[in-house]
């Protein structure tokens, strides 16, 4: 059963500097006491164990913030606590997100010893000018050398790139993506720049700044080009923005998209957990200090949780799984959760495919998935 | 009963913003009619919309007692009349109810088109007119130039115009003296003759029912009288008579020359027609007052609820509103595109806007307003004539012999800097110039224009090309034949009846092109491409294609985003509610209104 996998997300909420496009739960702080964090993470893992009981852990993902600012000992502590609580799968996957500065590359070996098996590098661009515009603290050269360092330490390395940036032409991206594909990675996350509310870019955009963003048509052309080039390089999209050689997919992220069970630990972490057959959406205090003291004082960093009735689960599952090339298992959706008429229309218009008890978005449907979802889930 | 020689009945004629309401406020204030603490601005305008827009829709009246310098105390009855062309008939009735007018002109702006229309009504009603120059305290005031303009343009003596500032109160005592000494008392009336009174206006009061404003010509009106409305035939027992000061104040009786109210448990404003003659049932007067006209709507549009489930609410709201507005007509309409709604008739565009505003605001219903239309006379080959209110009802062209459309005489006053733009606008709207004269640096332009070219956005355009300096007024002058056709709009090959319109054949291509281009901007991209066409009969005269949506996908979506994504989806769904479904295409309600506004 696809629902059987179990992953743990660990959130490290700190960054050296906040990137202007990022709306993740990240904070800049000079007063971080690793021992406090180790104690709090351990307490939360223990609490989850008490509540969930037996599980086999397939994946752990350290996300942020910038988890590559975590001391290796702290990472080791967390992994140890997880292993102490539950047995892990044979192919246990532990991913850590890293920024490609030289200081952080120096910690890669320590992370491997701590039990990290996969590293995801926030390369973002291979162009110094664009890196600066994105507010990144590293140069393209630093990025590439951090990547080489990572490849020499880990078997599995992924990189993130942001495209559809200001004043980026189709040819610019063809060149840059070509360079990235030549780096010999087996996993790439390629995100179109999204202007989010509550970010520095969001504010500038609203004030009429941030010129040169691509039109809808150029954005679509950029997306098409990305599919074409990654396909030719045998790194096809297995999800809207994620590309991998067969077998090299990020198994942790697949848990989200396949609607499987995951635990969220750390400030602002979300989870979807199942207790006695009932699914719950969980969320923790967003602010690092609030989370820490909630864990210490109340023995839990969690906010009041909400039960997810089957129909809501179905909507979430369809919404997430249609992002995947493998699509959605129809047997996991109650009959009334999809608009069957619209579904048939979208199959005949070539936006969706349906076969072997599954539906999925086609190459035409994927770039307009939000509209597709609004149709069939309405 | 008041001695006629001590009564002065008058109205105030002014262009919007020239200070009519402020002057009325000052007169009320200076004579102590209202205690200082009860004063508020635009005292006589009761409706929110009146206050907000600075316009008067319903006539109001107030009785002011003024101890004049000659030692006698006079009764001054002011009727505050509606000031907009849409309410021209109501204005004419109010004018007939008084003997004189104050003509208020802004001393920095001069005479405006609206002033002209209303002052001609006053002249037609044989009024004595006292010119009043307001805002003389402003640095830009040019009282001498404006005096000259009043004499040149209107043709009335203005050398002894009263100079005032309604804002500061300067000159207000002079106005009061002028009212007493320069305006005539009511013509003789016989208190013992059979009752003859004019119904000046009526309004609905939620506690008292319908209240009528009346002017007594002959006879005496008392509580307990049984009255008859001579045109509508209704008979009622008078519960109460009184005067406005401006609060309602009961009196024993109203006699000749007096203006006041009557309350007779009348349930609907619809039962009281402006201009009707009120008499006693037992002892009626010999003949009704001349000049009564039932109000006739000239502009029509469809009103549909955005949410089809609101239809019953809309029906209730329209029925309630119609009870209090006899000039507003409605009948149910079914549109293939918009479902159930109402075809409504209005006195003009302002009236349309006011009614729509009130429905949306007071009854909280989101509305789609279809293209305003006028009444076309369609002459069929079989010799019959049909009155076409709705382009959707246009018969097949092969059955039509010819079509006539209503024309108006439009008077526009404009500073000569903008004259060229105004002439161009009028020519563009198929206007025929009738007159062009100058008064100082202002031009008065008179055009014969098709009403259908005016109902869309003529006034908005006029304001925009003249930066707000032009004023505009019109009157209907009759029907004339022209080469008119029905233009349909097809979205994704399906006609959207709510967007069809009558146009002049020579303008059809241009209008059609503009419509399809606008709709291309107003309709959001869908997952398929959408042809948008304008057609006459089966012939497409303009076409645009809205390309299919190419990108709408969330780039990053991980475990923490599921909840947020779900909310986004719900928001998307809520957004769809503001759209109307036409076949497979969703059109935002705003598109219906925006598409019809023309840019040139």
């Amino acid at each position: 059963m696809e629902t059987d996998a179990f992953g743990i997300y660990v959130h490290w909420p700190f960054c050296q500097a906040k990137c202007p496009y990022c709306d993740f739960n990240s904070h800049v702080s000079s007063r971080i006491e690793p021992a406090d964090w180790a104690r709090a993470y351990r307490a939360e893992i223990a609490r989850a164990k008490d509540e969930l009981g037996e599980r086999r852990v397939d994946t752990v993902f350290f996300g942020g913030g910038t988890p590559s600012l975590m001391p290796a000992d702290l990472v080791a502590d967390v992994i140890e606590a997880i292993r102490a609580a539950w047995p892990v799968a044979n192919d246990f996957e532990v991913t850590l997100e890293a920024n490609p500065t030289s200081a952080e590359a120096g910690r890669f070996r320590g992370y491997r010893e701590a039990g990290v098996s996969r590293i995801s590098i926030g390369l973002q661009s291979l162009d110094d000018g664009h890196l600066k515009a994105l507010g990144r603290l590293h140069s393209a050269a630093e990025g590439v050398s951090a990547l080489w360092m990572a490849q020499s330490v880990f078997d599995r390395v992924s990189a993130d790139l942001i495209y559809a940036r200001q004043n980026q032409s189709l040819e610019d991206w063809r060149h840059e993506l070509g360079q990235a594909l030549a780096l010999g990675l087996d996993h790439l996350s390629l995100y179109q720049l999204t202007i989010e509310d509550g970010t520095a870019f969001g504010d500038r955009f609203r004030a009429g700044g941030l010129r040169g963003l691509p039109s809808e048509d150029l954005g679509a052309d950029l997306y098409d080009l990305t599919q074409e080039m990654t396909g030719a390089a045998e790194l096809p999209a297995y999800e809207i923005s994620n590309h991998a050689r067969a077998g090299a997919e990020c198994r942790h992220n697949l848990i989200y998209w396949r609607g499987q069970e995951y635990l969220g630990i750390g400030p602002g972490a979300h989870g979807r957990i199942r207790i006695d057959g009932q699914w719950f959406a969980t969320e923790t205090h967003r602010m690092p200090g609030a989370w820490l003291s909630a864990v210490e004082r109340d023995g839990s960093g969690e906010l009041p949780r909400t039960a997810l009735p089957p129909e809501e689960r179905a909507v979430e599952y369809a919404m997430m799984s249609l992002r995947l090339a493998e699509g959605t298992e129809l047997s996991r959706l109650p009959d009334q959760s999809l608009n069957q008429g619209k579904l048939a229309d979208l199959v005949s218009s070539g936006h969706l495919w349906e076969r072997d008890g599954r539906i999925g978005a086609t190459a035409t449907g994927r770039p307009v998935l939000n509209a597709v979802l609004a149709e069939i889930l309405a | 009963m008041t001695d006629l020689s001590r009564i002065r009945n008058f109205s105030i004629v002014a262009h919007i913003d020239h200070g009519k309401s402020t002057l009325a406020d000052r007169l009320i204030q200076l004579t102590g009619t209202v205690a200082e603490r009860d004063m508020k601005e635009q005292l006589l305008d009761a409706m929110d919309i009146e206050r907000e827009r600075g316009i008067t829709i319903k006539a109001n009246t107030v009785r002011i007692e003024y101890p004049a310098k000659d030692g006698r105390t006079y009764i001054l009855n002011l009727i505050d009349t509606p000031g907009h062309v849409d309410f021209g008939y109501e204005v004419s009735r109010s004018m007939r109810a008084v003997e004189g007018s104050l003509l208020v002109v802004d001393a920095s702006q001069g005479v405006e088109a609206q002033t002209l229309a209303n002052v001609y009504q006053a002249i037609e009603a044989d009024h004595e007119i006292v010119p009043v120059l307001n805002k003389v305290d402003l640095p830009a005031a040019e009282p001498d130039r404006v005096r000259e303009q009043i004499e040149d343009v209107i043709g009335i003596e203005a050398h002894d115009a009263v100079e005032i500032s309604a804002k500061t109160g300067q000159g207000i005592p002079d106005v009061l003296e002028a009212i007493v000494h320069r305006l005539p008392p009511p013509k003789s009336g016989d208190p013992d003759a059979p009752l003859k009174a004019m119904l000046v206006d009526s309004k609905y009061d939620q506690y008292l029912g319908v209240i009528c404003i009346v002017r007594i010509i002959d006879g005496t009106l008392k509580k307990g009288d049984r009255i008859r409305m001579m045109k509508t035939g209704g008979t009622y027992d008078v519960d109460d008579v009184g005067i406005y000061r401006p609060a309602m104040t009961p009196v024993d009786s109203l006699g000749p020359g007096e203006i006041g109210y009557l309350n007779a448990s009348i349930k609907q404003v619809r039962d009281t027609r402006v201009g009707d003659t009120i008499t006693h049932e037992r002892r009626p007067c010999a003949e009704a007052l001349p000049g009564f006209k039932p109000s006739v709507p000239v502009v029509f549009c469809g009103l549909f609820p955005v949410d089809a489930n609101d239809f019953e609410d809309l029906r209730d709201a329209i029925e309630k509103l119609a009870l209090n507005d006899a000039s507003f007509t409605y009948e149910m309409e079914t549109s293939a595109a918009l479902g159930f709604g109402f075809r409504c008739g209005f006195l003009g565009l302002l009236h349309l806007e006011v009614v729509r505003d009130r429905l949306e605001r007071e009854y909280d219903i989101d509305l789609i307003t279809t293209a305003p239309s006028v009444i076309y006379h369609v002459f069929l080959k079989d010799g019959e004539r049909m009155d076409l209110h709705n382009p959707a009802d246009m018969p097949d062209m092969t059955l039509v012999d010819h079509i006539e459309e209503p024309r108006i005489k439009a008077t526009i006053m404009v500073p000569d800097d903008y004259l060229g733009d105004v002439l161009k606008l009028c020519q563009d709207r198929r206007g025929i110039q009738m007159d062009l004269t100058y008064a100082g640096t202002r031009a008065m332009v008179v055009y014969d224009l098709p009403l259908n070219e005016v109902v869309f956005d003529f006034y908005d355009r006029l304001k925009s090309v003249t930066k707000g300096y032009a004023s505009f007024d019109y009157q209907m002058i009759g029907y004339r034949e022209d080469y008119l056709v029905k233009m349909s709009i097809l979205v994704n090959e399906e006609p959207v009846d709510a967007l069809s319109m009558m146009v002049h054949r020579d303008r059809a291509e241009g209008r059609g092109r503009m419509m399809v281009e606008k709709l291309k901007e107003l309709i959001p991209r869908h997952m398929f491409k959408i042809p948008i066409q304008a057609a006459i009969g089966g012939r497409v005269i303009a076409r645009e294609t809205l390309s299919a949506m190419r990108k709408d996908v969330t780039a990053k979506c991980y475990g923490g985003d599921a909840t947020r994504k779900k909310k986004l989806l719900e928001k998307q769904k809520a957004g769809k509610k503001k759209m109307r479904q036409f076949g497979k295409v969703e059109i935002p309600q705003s598109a219906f209104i925006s598409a019809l506004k023309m840019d040139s």
Side-chain angles (χ1 to χ4, degrees), chain B residues 489-600:
Chain B
I489 299 293
L490 295 90
V491 175
N492 205 28
E493 317 285 349
E494 299 206 28
V496 179
D497 53 1
L499 290 172
S500 62
M501 59 173 76
M502 300 297 295
V503 287
H504 191 270
R505 183 63 189 88
D506 293 350
R507 315 248 151 188
E509 269 83 9
R511 283 295 290 278
R513 172 122 306 279
M514 220 142 60
M515 280 286 282
V516 296
E517 280 171 9
K518 278 221 159 156
L519 286 168
K520 188 184 169 190
E521 298 300 315
L522 293 165
I523 301 173
R525 283 185 176 189
H526 283 53
M527 274 186 284
F528 42 90
K529 66 172 193 242
I530 301 171
I532 304 171
Q533 299 157 305
I536 298 171
R539 207 167 79 77
V540 172
I541 53 169
R543 178 193 168 106
E544 283 285 334
T545 304
L546 177 63
S547 346
M549 176 197 295
R550 291 196 57 205
K551 212 179 77 64
D552 180 13
V553 63
T554 309
K556 280 190 182 192
C557 190
Y558 295 100
D561 303 311
T563 308
R564 196 165 62 152
K565 187 88 204 300
K566 221 163 36 182
K567 279 189 190 139
L568 209 75
L569 203 69
E570 267 149 31
K571 226 164 95 183
Q572 231 169 329
K573 275 195 231 169
K576 275 172 182 275
K577 281 207 173 151
K578 292 242 164 197
M579 308 260 209
R580 247 358 233 272
Q581 189 89 30
F582 296 88
K584 288 163 69 190
V585 181
E586 278 154 357
I587 305 182
Q589 72 185 102
S590 56
F592 289 93
I593 302 158
S594 314
L596 296 162
K597 293 222 163 138
M598 291 180 290
D599 290 328
S600 59

Side-chain angles (χ1 to χ4, degrees), chain B residues 140-246:
Chain B
E142 294 178 276
D144 291 339
R145 190 184 62 79
V146 173
R147 247 186 218 103
E148 215 172 285
Q149 198 197 17
I150 291 172
E151 295 185 349
D152 289 353
V153 177
I154 304 174
I156 60 172
E157 186 65 41
H159 73 273
D160 52 1
V162 186
E163 295 191 9
I164 66 160
S165 165
K167 204 172 127 211
T168 64
Q170 175 193 340
I172 302 298
D174 302 338
V175 174
L176 287 163
E177 284 296 306
I179 292 168
V180 166
H181 298 294
R182 289 166 62 183
L183 299 185
K187 291 186 190 77
S188 60
D190 179 356
D192 302 319
L195 177 67
K196 185 189 254 186
M198 183 201 281
L199 201 164
V200 178
D201 207 348
S202 59
K203 56 187 138 195
Y204 186 78
D205 179 291
Q206 56 173 327
Y207 301 110
L208 303 171
V210 178
I211 304 293
C212 302
I213 294 180
V214 294
R215 156 72 200 264
I216 311 294
I217 312 292
D218 281 317
T220 305
L221 178 66
K222 291 191 305 291
K223 183 175 172 171
D225 287 356
R226 186 153 181 87
I227 53 163
R228 172 190 293 280
M229 305 282 183
M230 293 181 77
K231 288 293 169 191
T232 59
T235 56
Y236 306 93
D237 291 318
V238 176
D239 297 332
D240 207 3
V241 295
I243 53 171
Y244 287 96
R245 313 182 43 101

Side-chain angles (χ1 to χ4, degrees), chain A residues 23 191 216 221 241 257 323 367, chain B residues 550 552 554-555 557-558 564:
Chain A
D23 70 334
Y191 303 110
E216 181 184 335
D221 290 342
S241 304
W257 297 319
R323 299 180 64 84
Chain B
R550 291 196 57 205
D552 180 13
T554 309
C557 190
Y558 295 100
R564 196 165 62 152

Side-chain angles (χ1 to χ4, degrees), chain A residues 121-171:
Chain A
I121 305 243
L123 207 53
Q124 314 312 7
S125 173
L126 292 169
D127 176 292
D128 283 343
H130 279 295
L131 283 169
K132 212 171 257 173
L134 290 172
R136 302 293 292 178
L137 301 176
H138 56 91
S139 68
E142 271 181 301
V144 171
S145 69
L147 199 80
W148 284 339
M149 172 70 114
Q151 282 171 313
S152 72
V153 176
F154 297 97
D155 289 339
R156 301 179 62 197
V157 177
S158 173
D160 289 6
L161 288 176
I162 294 176
Y163 70 110
R165 301 184 304 246
Q166 289 169 270
N167 306 311
Q168 185 182 36
S169 71
L170 208 54
E171 284 319 300

